[in-house]
Amino acid sequence: MADKLERAGNLKESTKLIRLTVNGQLYELTTGDDVEPAGAPSYDVYPWDRLVYTLRERLGLTGTKLSCDRGACGACSVLLDGKLALSCLLLTVDCDGKSITTIEGLADPLSGALHPIQEAFVENNGAQCGYCTPGMIVAAKALLDENSSPTVEDVKWALGGNICRCGNYRSISQSVLAAAEKTKTRAERTE
C-alpha cells in the first residue's frame, strides 16, 4: 500500500488514481492515456479498458467471462453497487468509487462455502459447459436480492439477458427457484 501511495505521489499530471472495491477488497489502480516509449504499459488501467478486462487481466478474477463482447449474452455479468451490470460495456474508469461483486465474491470469504445460489446450481444441474454459469448466478443473485419468492416467469424475465448456448434453461430456472427456497430456509433458521 505504501508503494502505491508513493507511486501515486510521483504520477504525471495526466495520471489519476481510481479506486474499486471488488468482492470487498479495495484496489487502487493508476490510469492515464499515454504509454512508455518502448510501448510497455505505464498504468494499471487505460481510459479505454473495460471492466471485464480489468477484472480478468489485471485482477486475475477470471470467473467473469467475456463472450459476445457486445452486452448481448450476460456472461460478463457483475453486481455494480448491488445492481446487475454488464462488465463488457463499462469502462473501468467510470467505476471509480464503486463496489463490484463478481462470481468469486459470492462464496463465503472465510470458509469458502458456496453461496446458496451456487449450491442450488450444483444440486440442480444448472450448468452444462459452465461458461454462462457465472453470469447466470450473478443475475440470479440480483433477482433474489430484490424478489425472494420469484415465479418461473420472474426468473425467465430476470435471466432473459443471459444466453446459455447449451440450452439448459429449464435446469437453470429450477436452480434459481431452488436457491430461493434454500435462502428462505436459511433465513428462517437464523431467526
Side-chain angles (χ1 to χ4, degrees), residues 114-127 171 174-175 178-179 182 186:
L114 295 179
H115 187 279
I117 300 170
Q118 293 169 310
E119 288 177 355
F121 266 70
V122 171
E123 293 163 1
N124 293 278
N125 300 313
S171 293
Q174 289 172 343
S175 298
K182 199 178 265 278
R186 285 187 185 180

Side-chain angles (χ1 to χ4, degrees), residues 32-50:
D33 56 8
D34 61 339
V35 292
E36 293 177 7
S42 56
Y43 304 108
D44 296 322
V45 176
Y46 286 94
W48 51 84
D49 285 347
R50 290 166 299 138

Side-chain angles (χ1 to χ4, degrees), residues 89-103:
L89 298 181
L90 295 169
L91 294 175
T92 303
V93 294
D94 289 339
C95 298
D96 186 22
K98 304 285 185 186
S99 177
I100 299 153
T101 303
T102 68
I103 187 71

